[in-house]
Amino acid sequence: MTLWDLTQGTSATISAFAGSIEAGYRTRLSELGFYPGETIACVMAPSLGAPKLYRVNNTVYSLDDSIASMIEID
Amino acid sequence: MPPSSPTKIALIGSPNSGKSLLFNRLTGLNQKVANFPGITVDIGAGRSLVDSSTEYLDFPGVYSLKAISGEEKLAVDSFDKALDTGHLDAVICVVDATRLEKGLIFALQVLEACRRHNMPLLIAANMSDVLELHKIPLDTHGLAAALKVPVLSISGKTGIGLEQIPSAIASATAPTEAYAPTGDIITSDDALVHRQAQQLAKQYGPKGDLLINAQTRLDRFFLHSWVGGISFFVIMYLLFQSIFTWAAPIMDGVESLLQVIADLVLARVPAGMASDFIADAMFGGIGAFLVFVPQIFVLTLVVGMLEDSGYLARAAVICHKPLRVFGLTGKSFIPMLSSVACAIPGVYAARTVDSPCKRWLTYLAIPLMPCSARLPVYTLLIAAFIPAQKALGGLIGWQGLAMFGIYVFGIICALLVTAMVSRSSAELRSDLPFVLEMPPYRLPSWRPLLRNAWNRSKHFVTKAGKVIFIVTVVVWLLGYFPNQGASLGDSWLGTLGKWIEPVFAPFGLDWKYGVAILTSFLAREVFVGTLGTLFGIEDADENFVSLSQQIQDSGLPLSSGAALLVFFAIALQCVSTLAVMAKETGSWRLPTQLFVSYSIFAYLAALLTYQLVELLV
Ligand SMILES: Nc1nc2c(ncn2[C@@H]2O[C@H](COP(=O)(O)OP(=O)(O)O)[C@@H](O)[C@H]2O)c(=O)[nH]1
């Protein structure tokens, strides 16, 4: 399962990053709060494949499929 | 303290921490305030309003001191360099108190940097007005004790706590030890910084999800599959409508005022060359352009309002998928929308597009977006060629429809160009991931918005006005001599114009339009001024007839008018845009390429339009 598979209103804990993710993005995502062990909630999953809104700490970010599917969840 | 060596205090913070507003508040300077992540990039500087021996420096907002993108690296380097060279006396780290954990991750990095450079640090927990409103406590004393640096609870919006900044700065000392709550060895490990920030936020920070819940409810509305779609179109429609309905009465006012002044002045000047100059060049040329300033004011205001409310970030989410079809990303939406006001802020806003390829493609789209400098030309031509009648039983005016059509035409051109170019190489097709912070929804702060719109209009009048003034004077001189305005066709300008006439003859335009088009390559709105001056000289009796009426009377066919509209929609006739683009991209290569290719594109498209309309009408 990846973050992209989370449906609206559910949450999950990040387990790992996909091996293919670029190092820079991995660092940035970690700084934003997306790092293994952190619980992420999907607050909004718009239809038509638009980027989904994820909440981490007290901030909301929108991530598109290309990046959300590189973040693995338990 | 001598004025040459003020105390220099750096402001640093993540995008959307409210740093710009705070900076404005402290210095009274008019920096643009924007509720979109990453919009501040240059370092602003300004003297403190309360103490002129203190200077605040506004560093670009960054998410982290470990940069990953090129722009960000420049920003981080500028801060590092300032710390290294000892130019700074203290640092204020601005964090959004409503999202303390995120702010603290950054603050801990700044704290470490200040410790290494022995630099006094103050942490400003901003937006405390929001916390107060919801009665959510924040333990600044506890936080200060834990971090061993002063922490102030402030609000850049209401001004809470700002008066304490000078004394807090004066007593602030450089952090002496790295923050390590559990006493374990100091590491720069990301995960550790995280844990620390999380613990601190949990212990001292605001509790509860109140703010996020309200935000989520709004997001579920604005991003709902059809409610969100409809609201998107309604908001864009209102934006468009506001330019015309709100600005129209002000424009009429400016026009009447100019007319009153013209009558007053001309009554006092004896007939002759001076009066000809005042009537033709001053009121005919410059007056014609001043009328459009209200539109620019309203447009800047409305775009700024949308940006400030937080809605634009949602619009970027909505547009991400559709824009991808055209080779762009959701992040291209904000620069493109800003370009509807003016391409220059659009070019600056393109910095927020983090993928270099997508940014490059966004640059291609920007000059084709229907900017407000085109508006004078569109309004003039549409008034001259499209009857002011209503269609569909009075529901839609033909003129409004034509305006809408030419706007949409520009946008379609922009998208087609990026779609085609992005498909031309694999590199341009590639995608970078889309990660965008969703700022909280906020009621716009009116004062900075109004000030920004006012400044933009003023800038437009003074900068563009200067060019227009010089051009109209030169055009007038060339057109008035050597025969004192007796015959425009035999003037110097007439001779010159006939020389270039063949270029524009294929659209059925005479040399006067040729000259106006040529001068409009400085800036589009110069077209109106030049034409106004030329018709003014030609028109022997000095009664004021509107320029559009004069164009009608001159018998220009509809096909030529349509060709002109299309030409202006595409051609990149703006020296300022080219210059800013050269500055942003670091070379004149892209601006030169765009200038040449869009000129050719515009010419061919105008030719085609002329032929088509000739065939049909
Ligand atoms: N309620 C509240 N809003 C603020 C405050 N400071 C800034 N804002 C709003 O936060 C948004 C971002 O502010 P800005 O100064 O552009 O942030 P920057 O990106 O850090 O420069 C704007 O919509 C501001 O109106 C504050 O103290 N209280």
Side-chain angles (χ1 to χ4, degrees), chain B residues 6 8 56 66 96 139 163 202 246 249 280 366 373 392 402 430 443 522 595 598:
Chain B
K8 284 191 160 46
Y56 290 104
K66 291 176 215 139
D96 177 350
D139 182 3
E163 72 290 344
K202 215 168 256 156
W246 297 2
D280 305 337
I366 285 172
L392 297 177
S430 71
L443 283 178
L522 286 169
F595 178 76
Y598 286 167

Side-chain angles (χ1 to χ4, degrees), chain A residues 4 8-10 21-39 42-68 70, chain B residues 63-68 72 98-102 105 109 190-191 194-195 198 206 208-209 211-213 215-216 219-221 223-226 314 316-318 320-321 324 354 431-439:
Chain A
W4 187 249
Q8 181 166 316
T10 59
I21 194 168
E22 216 182 290
Y25 266 90
R26 187 194 184 114
T27 310
R28 176 46 40 87
L29 284 170
S30 310
E31 276 164 348
L32 298 180
F34 295 89
Y35 69 94
E38 189 72 19
T39 303
C42 174
V43 294
M44 173 87 215
S47 52
L48 303 172
K52 294 181 182 174
L53 268 55
Y54 299 96
R55 172 182 171 183
V56 49
N57 306 326
N58 226 5
T59 311
V60 177
Y61 297 94
S62 76
L63 271 60
D64 72 352
D65 50 352
S66 69
I67 189 79
M70 288 208 193
Chain B
Y63 281 108
S64 151
L65 290 185
K66 291 176 215 139
I68 56 166
E72 214 168 39
T98 64
R99 295 178 294 168
L100 194 62
E101 179 171 337
K102 167 178 178 254
I105 294 176
Q109 293 180 345
D190 291 343
H194 250 102
R195 248 200 342 269
Q198 208 167 29
D209 303 338
L211 307 169
I212 284 286
N213 287 343
Q215 180 177 338
T216 304
D219 276 338
R220 294 213 168 135
F221 179 84
L223 295 176
H224 185 271
S225 28
W226 54 271
R314 276 72 188 185
V317 170
I318 293 177
H320 180 60
K321 255 302 195 25
R324 244 179 15 183
D354 42 13
D431 254 335
L432 261 193
F434 177 87
V435 179
L436 187 63
E437 182 188 338
M438 297 287 104

Side-chain angles (χ1 to χ4, degrees), chain B residues 37-60:
Chain B
I39 217 123
T40 325
V41 178
D42 292 313
I43 300 172
R47 297 284 168 119
S48 160
L49 279 181
V50 290
D51 170 15
S52 64
S53 68
T54 300
E55 187 175 57
Y56 290 104
L57 300 171
D58 182 21
F59 280 80

Side-chain angles (χ1 to χ4, degrees), chain B residues 357-400:
Chain B
C357 288
K358 300 290 160 193
R359 193 178 329 126
W360 189 80
L361 285 166
T362 308
Y363 285 141
L364 301 194
I366 285 172
L368 292 169
M369 295 303 288
C371 74
S372 53
R374 287 181 169 103
L375 226 105
V377 183
Y378 290 170
T379 313
L380 178 72
L381 291 173
I382 286 174
F385 286 104
I386 312 288
Q389 281 163 4
K390 303 261 181 190
L392 297 177
L395 265 185
I396 315 170
W398 282 115
Q399 294 191 334

